[in-house]
Amino acid sequence: MDEEIDTRKINNSFLRDHNYATEADIISTVEFNNTGELLATGDKGGRVVVFQREQESKNQPHRRGEYNVYSTFQSHEPEFDYLKSLEIEEKINKIRWLPQQNAAYFLLSTNDKTVKLWKISERDKRPEGYNLKDEDGRIRDPNTITSLRVPVLRPMDLMVEATPRRVFSNAHTYHINSISINSDYETYMSTDDLRINLWNLEITNRSFNIVDIKPTNMEELTEVITAAEFHPNQCNTFVYSSSKGSIRLCDMRAAALCDNHSKFFEEPEDPSNRSFFSEIISSISDVKFSHSGRYLMTRDYLTVKVWDLNMESKPLETYQVHDYLRSKLCSLYENDCIFDKFECVWNGSDRSVTHTLFTADPAHIIND
């Protein structure tokens, strides 16, 4: 007698088995949806794996916090830019969920050059009884049709489908490092090292440049953009961080091109702590607004900082999350680990912060 096999358990055990992990399996980004029911991970192989939280049951109440594989799809493929003779990696840099409007889910995923909008939907019924097609989909000869049938929907095994709905490309010269969805749910921005572009989710062939820090002479370049985020409630406000450890708050109502910031957040450097690695470890890899919009959280190599939008001079709190690495910076520089990027996120109540480190295992998550 054939045994029933739980595909989800197979997928989970495969992901946990280190013997099967390759470079392409290394997780590069993670993102929860608004409700926390779904968790999307992107990897260096261009795949997106969506996990769904286990529903609570009376028999197994402890399984409520477990996530099982819900859908897996190939988001990006490796490409080659023949004009610049440049290989474009398939690695997923960022994932962002759109608020759920109906039974389907939508998310944005991006690699270095292209942003894609994906629809994830469930299907548990299939239509049968076509007049012009056979059951296997082949077109029937109209001369053989002698009667009309009314198509019906038949139950089928649950199928989760991921389909691309929009492809936003050809707008970035440099590598995309972040994307952020606006609170109007109609627009989003994509950010590369020197520019930030504003997109409409319905228009794929046109974007508007809202930040451009590229100097006329590239030899004068002193910093690059590392991350950007829209305000959760004010659709005209956004922030972006730089490799120098500063954060700029901008208002799109002031000008079409936000060259001049409204607020500038930067912590003065202690001269006694300055070293060869100071500029590298001060580079901000992620910035996030709190859900209330009152606070900012930034992540650099060694710390997580919380800022009050009303106080630009210094952060409210600083968490030394990797202080034990300070004595090992030379070794980390030699093996390039000092250039690793980290993400951070607020919990639902804005009372806790989480930062992530990406490895071949599912993301290692630390709460502070």
Side-chain angles (χ1 to χ4, degrees), residues 274-323:
R274 180 158 185 82
S275 68
F276 173 78
F277 307 106
S278 295
E279 189 169 334
I280 300 175
I281 63 176
S282 65
S283 176
I284 295 174
S285 58
D286 198 16
V287 58
K288 289 290 194 317
F289 275 104
S290 62
H291 295 87
S292 65
R294 172 68 186 274
Y295 303 102
L296 278 173
M297 175 169 53
T298 60
R299 177 72 163 96
D300 57 38
Y301 194 73
L302 298 179
T303 66
V304 172
K305 297 175 181 176
V306 177
W307 300 78
D308 189 330
L309 290 188
N310 296 327
M311 187 171 69
E312 305 171 46
S313 58
K314 62 179 181 179
L316 279 179
E317 296 175 347
T318 300
Y319 300 99
Q320 302 289 343
V321 293
H322 282 166
D323 199 48

Side-chain angles (χ1 to χ4, degrees), residues 12 84-85 88 100 108 114 119 143 183 200 228 236 243 281 288 319 362:
N12 285 343
K84 298 180 179 179
S85 296
I88 302 173
Q100 188 175 6
L108 289 171
T114 304
K119 177 184 178 181
N143 296 323
S183 59
N200 187 298
N236 55 282
S243 57
I281 63 176
K288 289 290 194 317
Y319 300 99

Side-chain angles (χ1 to χ4, degrees), residues 72-107:
T72 303
F73 58 93
Q74 188 72 31
S75 174
H76 288 73
E77 300 283 354
E79 300 176 42
F80 190 82
D81 187 336
Y82 292 96
L83 187 62
K84 298 180 179 179
S85 296
L86 181 69
E87 290 185 0
I88 302 173
E89 291 184 345
E90 64 271 32
K91 184 188 78 168
I92 306 299
N93 292 338
K94 292 289 179 181
I95 294 174
R96 290 291 181 266
W97 290 93
L98 276 70
Q100 188 175 6
Q101 305 292 337
N102 48 42
Y105 301 98
F106 290 86
L107 63 81

Side-chain angles (χ1 to χ4, degrees), residues 132-295:
L132 299 178
K133 291 193 299 185
D134 290 332
E135 298 303 330
D136 56 4
R138 291 181 296 181
I139 303 298
R140 297 175 60 189
D141 183 356
N143 296 323
T144 63
I145 300 175
T146 58
S147 62
L148 293 177
R149 295 182 294 178
V150 178
V152 295
L153 292 174
R154 302 289 188 192
M156 59 176 284
D157 293 337
L158 179 65
M159 179 185 299
V160 181
E161 298 176 317
T163 53
R165 301 304 300 271
R166 305 276 190 279
V167 178
F168 306 89
S169 58
N170 303 322
H172 286 277
T173 304
Y174 307 98
H175 291 176
I176 299 173
N177 53 47
S178 65
I179 50 178
S180 178
I181 298 168
N182 203 345
S183 59
D184 60 11
Y185 306 141
E186 295 182 358
T187 57
Y188 78 94
M189 64 180 174
S190 55
T191 307
D192 65 27
D193 294 336
L194 299 179
R195 296 187 177 97
I196 300 177
N197 292 334
L198 181 68
W199 299 81
N200 187 298
L201 286 166
E202 300 295 329
I203 302 173
T204 61
N205 59 358
R206 185 173 69 250
S207 64
F208 299 95
N209 182 226
I210 55 176
V211 172
D212 189 344
I213 66 169
K214 181 180 179 181
T216 305
N217 183 1
M218 286 296 286
E219 293 181 357
E220 299 174 358
L221 182 67
T222 59
E223 63 180 335
V224 295
I225 301 171
T226 55
E229 178 88 356
F230 268 120
H231 192 281
N233 306 317
Q234 301 170 11
C235 62
N236 55 282
T237 305
F238 68 94
V239 296
Y240 68 92
S241 58
S242 80
S243 57
K244 281 191 170 182
S246 60
I247 310 108
R248 292 170 173 85
L249 179 74
C250 300
D251 190 341
M252 291 190 291
R253 297 173 300 182
L257 188 62
C258 300
D259 288 334
N260 297 318
H261 49 265
S262 301
K263 291 189 176 183
F264 182 80
F265 303 86
E266 187 176 40
E267 185 176 20
E269 184 181 8
D270 185 355
S272 62
N273 291 331
R274 180 158 185 82
S275 68
F276 173 78
F277 307 106
S278 295
E279 189 169 334
I280 300 175
I281 63 176
S282 65
S283 176
I284 295 174
S285 58
D286 198 16
V287 58
K288 289 290 194 317
F289 275 104
S290 62
H291 295 87
S292 65
R294 172 68 186 274
Y295 303 102

